[in-house]
């Protein structure tokens, strides 16, 4: 039914130059680490990347930046990355900053067949420039469009061979909406199981949204290790 | 008489006063930076739930080393634990509960606030833009928006202005401002001074605030 890959290079082979890709994750949590590494190796260029953040200098989407594979980035917060700043200042990289909730909803809408919606976020701010404003019940709202992608790269804790996915804790974040908004969704799972091994009640992303899967081991780098200082 | 406290003491003082905004049973979102510190001062008898916009309803304490899960962070990307009775959700659902006004309170940082409740806290022209993250959504979501910040900037200039100079995060969104010197409410007719911190006078607050201040008839002096 679904394509099951054993090579990450193979999994991303159809991603060509000028593709639009969505990449799951919040910070470095829930990012499809190995698919990103394979995409760096594939050297696909002129990509438009939709992701909440853009990794850090030496990990996650930051690796695609280092390799100058991204033409345009659509995200909500890109402040963890020096190379990002350099490329923007030099005009090598176009950025479209979108409020985080608007970004999440634009992706959700894209996957749900909704072309546009009104939201209060950004009214009266620089991001409202050029956008339709409409009043509902005396309050102003901005028109925002849905987002879709040629490919969505997502990461899940568990997946079965029919594409059903389950995420772990806050590694869920943007992954479920992106799975639905990609024409082709490739899921990197920590554990690949047989159909029937996952409780249908515990499936977060139904397999209908997923075209291919691959099992992989992640490093799961921590950006800000914060520990309890009080003794038990 | 103006008081001079070191930075850490001022931050703690503001965070402790902000904690008083949290009522029993509240669902609360705390912004990154000083607002996150408010969690350190929550009274043990208060039942409340901290929402993290990356998809956690019920942030717990920081983890001990053996509890660290790289998949469990707050919106500031710090490792956390989940509290008893917490739940996880996607970013879309997280912001749906924010936008849908299900949160009782959000406490956020600020660079400038205007007399009509405009907030600027995400970019300084000429400096590299990092992005607004979730701030633009949150200011339109929670039932009450409280901004905590220093009363003046590092040059001693007012941050509470007639109009914001910096690009806005939200227009007419702030309900209350808590600084190291005062608590000020944003009302329909303008700003109302409701509390003064220990060591400050009404005159000193007025001098360090560009916007006009009405003095509340119930003004509390030396309140925090």
């Amino acid at each position: 039914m679904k394509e099951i890959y054993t090579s990450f290079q193979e999994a991303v082979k159809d991603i060509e130059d000028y593709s639009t890709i969505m990449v799951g994750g919040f910070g470095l949590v829930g990012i499809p680490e190995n698919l990103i590494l394979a995409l760096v190796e594939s050297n696909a260029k002129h990509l438009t990347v939709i992701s909440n953040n853009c990794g850090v200098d030496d990990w996650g989407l930051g690796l695609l930046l280092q390799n100058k594979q991204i033409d345009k980035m659509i995200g909500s917060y890109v402040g963890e990355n020096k190379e990002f700043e350099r490329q923007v200042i030099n005009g090598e990289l176009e950025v479209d900053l979108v409020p985080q909730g608007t970004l999440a909803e634009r992706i959700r809408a894209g996957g749900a067949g909704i072309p546009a919606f009104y939201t209060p976020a950004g009214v009266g701010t620089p991001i409202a420039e050029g956008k339709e404003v409409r009043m509902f019940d005396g309050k102003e709202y901005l028109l925002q469009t849905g987002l879709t992608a040629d490919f969505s790269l997502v990461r899940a804790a568990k997946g079965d061979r029919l594409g059903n996915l389950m995420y772990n804790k806050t590694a869920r974040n943007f992954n479920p909406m992106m799975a639905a908004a990609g024409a082709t969704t490739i899921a990197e799972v920590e554990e690949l199981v047989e159909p029937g091994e996952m409780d249908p009640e515990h499936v977060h992303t139904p397999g209908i949204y997923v075209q291919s899967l691959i099992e992989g081991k992640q490093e799961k780098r921590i950006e800000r290790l914060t520990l309890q200082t009080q003794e038990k | 008489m103006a008081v001079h406290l070191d930075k850490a003491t001022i931050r703690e003082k503001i965070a402790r006063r902000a904690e008083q905004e949290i009522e029993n049973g509240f669902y609360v979102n705390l912004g990154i930076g000083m607002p996150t510190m408010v969690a350190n001062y929550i009274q043990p008898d208060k039942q409340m739930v901290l929402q993290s916009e990356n998809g956690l309803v019920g942030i717990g304490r920081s983890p001990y080393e053996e509890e660290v899960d790289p998949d469990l962070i707050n919106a500031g990307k710090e490792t956390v634990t989940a509290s008893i009775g917490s739940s996880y959700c996607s970013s879309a659902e997280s912001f749906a509960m924010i936008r849908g006004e299900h949160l009782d309170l959000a406490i956020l940082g600020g660079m400038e606030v205007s007399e009509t409740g405009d907030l600027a806290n995400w970019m300084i022209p000429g400096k590299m833009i990092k992005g607004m993250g979730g701030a633009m959504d949150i200011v339109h979501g929670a039932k009450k928006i409280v901004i905590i910040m220093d009363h003046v900037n590092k040059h001693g200039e007012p941050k509470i202005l007639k109009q914001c100079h910096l690009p806005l995060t939200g227009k007419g969104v702030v309900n209350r401002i808590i600084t190291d010197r005062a608590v000020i409410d944003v009302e329909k007719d303008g700003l109302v001074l409701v509390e003064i911190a220990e060591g400050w006078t009404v005159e000193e607050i007025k001098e360090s605030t560009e916007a006009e201040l009405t003095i509340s008839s119930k003004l509390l002096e030396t309140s925090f």
Side-chain angles (χ1 to χ4, degrees):
Chain A
M1 285 265 308
K2 307 292 179 183
E3 189 86 49
I4 308 292
Y5 291 107
T6 51
S7 143
F8 284 95
Q9 286 76 15
E10 191 72 6
V12 300
K13 67 178 188 309
D14 294 332
I15 302 179
E16 296 174 342
D17 292 358
Y18 299 97
S19 296
T20 295
I21 61 168
M22 289 183 180
V23 182
F26 180 96
L28 298 179
V29 173
I31 61 170
E33 296 180 8
N34 294 294
L35 288 172
I36 294 170
L37 288 170
L39 199 54
V40 173
E41 216 173 296
S42 83
N43 213 20
K45 301 265 191 205
H46 305 293
L47 301 172
T48 293
V49 175
I50 302 168
S51 190
N52 188 52
N53 313 94
C54 201
V56 294
D57 277 323
D58 64 345
W59 195 238
L61 291 174
L63 298 171
L64 286 181
L65 269 183
Q66 297 275 8
N67 204 28
K68 302 197 170 57
Q69 291 172 265
I70 306 177
D71 277 3
K72 182 177 180 179
M73 177 73 207
I74 301 173
S76 88
Y77 188 83
V78 292
E80 315 288 357
N81 203 309
K82 289 192 191 70
E83 175 64 12
F84 193 97
E85 185 168 346
R86 194 196 66 72
Q87 290 187 17
V88 172
I89 290 166
N90 289 349
E92 297 165 28
L93 177 64
E94 190 188 336
V95 197
D96 187 1
L97 289 170
V98 181
Q100 198 175 124
T102 301
L103 181 64
E105 190 62 16
R106 287 180 70 185
I107 298 165
R108 197 200 70 81
I114 294 172
F117 59 92
Y118 290 95
T119 180
V123 169
T125 78
I127 69 140
E129 281 164 28
K131 291 195 177 68
E132 183 192 324
V133 176
R134 189 166 159 185
M135 297 273 276
F136 293 93
D137 293 328
K139 196 175 160 184
E140 289 179 314
Y141 295 83
L142 282 188
L143 185 69
Q144 292 278 4
T145 54
L147 287 170
T148 54
D150 302 316
F151 295 89
S152 283
L153 311 183
V154 302
R155 219 269 312 281
K158 198 187 257 191
D160 71 16
R161 288 174 181 273
L162 294 176
N164 295 305
L165 304 178
M166 195 186 83
Y167 308 96
N168 184 44
K169 304 187 174 77
T170 55
R172 189 181 320 186
N173 56 63
F174 285 82
N175 283 299
M177 298 84 78
M178 288 182 172
T184 299
T185 292
I186 309 166
E188 172 176 339
V189 298
E190 293 171 52
E191 188 190 1
L192 184 65
V193 300
E194 295 301 320
E197 287 185 46
M198 285 170 73
D199 183 342
E201 294 279 17
H202 295 164
V203 170
H204 296 136
T205 292
I208 187 168
Y209 298 123
V210 177
Q211 278 66 47
S212 61
L213 298 98
I214 181 164
E215 192 180 55
K217 173 113 185 81
Q218 291 78 29
E219 278 188 37
K220 297 193 180 180
R221 289 196 194 173
I222 293 173
E223 263 180 275
R224 297 208 175 93
L225 180 66
T226 306
L227 295 173
Q228 180 60 242
T229 47
Q230 283 176 0
E231 289 192 27
K232 275 187 202 178
Chain B
M1 192 193 75
V3 282
H4 296 283
L5 303 170
D6 65 80
K7 214 172 176 182
T9 311
I10 289 173
R11 286 165 72 90
E12 181 178 335
K13 183 175 159 155
I14 297 173
R16 283 186 186 278
R17 176 58 192 82
E19 188 275 339
Q20 294 173 26
E21 300 297 310
I22 301 171
E23 292 175 29
N24 213 23
F26 265 21
Y27 287 88
V28 182
N29 182 290
L30 300 176
I32 293 159
M34 183 159 64
T36 303
M37 284 175 55
V38 175
N40 301 339
Y41 305 108
I42 291 167
Q43 298 300 315
D45 58 339
K46 230 177 244 182
Q47 294 266 327
M48 45 88 69
V49 179
L50 291 175
Q51 195 255 16
S52 193
E53 64 266 26
N54 57 319
L56 168 58
V57 186
I59 308 174
R61 56 169 172 74
S62 299
Y64 289 104
E65 204 154 3
E66 66 275 16
E67 292 175 321
V68 169
D69 185 335
D71 284 343
L72 183 47
I73 59 166
N74 64 17
K77 303 182 181 105
E78 298 167 335
T79 47
V80 292
T81 58
S83 64
I84 293 168
S86 61
S87 61
Y88 301 110
C89 61
S90 71
S91 300
E93 175 141 21
S94 175
F95 281 96
M97 66 181 73
I98 290 169
R99 210 184 291 107
E101 297 187 16
H102 301 280
L103 291 180
D104 298 289
L105 171 69
I107 300 175
L108 306 170
M111 295 174 183
E112 294 177 347
V113 178
S114 83
E115 61 187 9
T116 53
D118 296 351
L119 170 69
N121 75 352
W122 75 286
M123 72 172 281
I124 301 172
K127 286 202 176 176
M128 182 60 195
I129 301 171
K130 291 170 182 281
M132 68 293 280
M136 284 191 184
D137 308 274
I138 293 168
V139 294
H140 287 282
K143 294 188 185 93
K144 184 173 184 182
I145 304 293
V146 173
I147 300 303
I148 61 175
M149 62 183 190
D150 292 330
H151 203 93
V152 296
N153 66 22
K154 60 184 175 192
H155 307 296
E157 297 156 351
K159 294 173 64 155
I160 302 168
L161 308 168
K162 290 183 189 300
Q163 274 192 330
C164 293
H165 306 303
L166 295 170
L168 296 186
T169 306
K171 195 175 75 173
V173 292
V174 178
N175 300 109
R176 172 167 275 196
I177 311 160
I178 299 174
T179 74
D180 51 318
R181 302 182 187 180
V183 178
I184 295 169
D185 281 345
V186 182
E187 302 285 357
K188 277 203 181 73
D189 306 329
L191 300 180
V192 180
L193 179 64
V194 290
E195 289 180 37
I196 301 180
E198 186 182 351
W200 296 91
T201 65
V202 171
E203 276 316 304
E204 285 167 340
I205 303 297
K206 279 185 161 181
E207 276 166 24
S208 55
T209 307
E210 186 196 87
E212 289 293 323
L213 288 178
T214 306
I215 315 301
S216 168
S217 56
K218 294 175 192 153
L219 177 72
L220 295 174
E221 293 185 62
T222 322
S223 77
F224 66 104

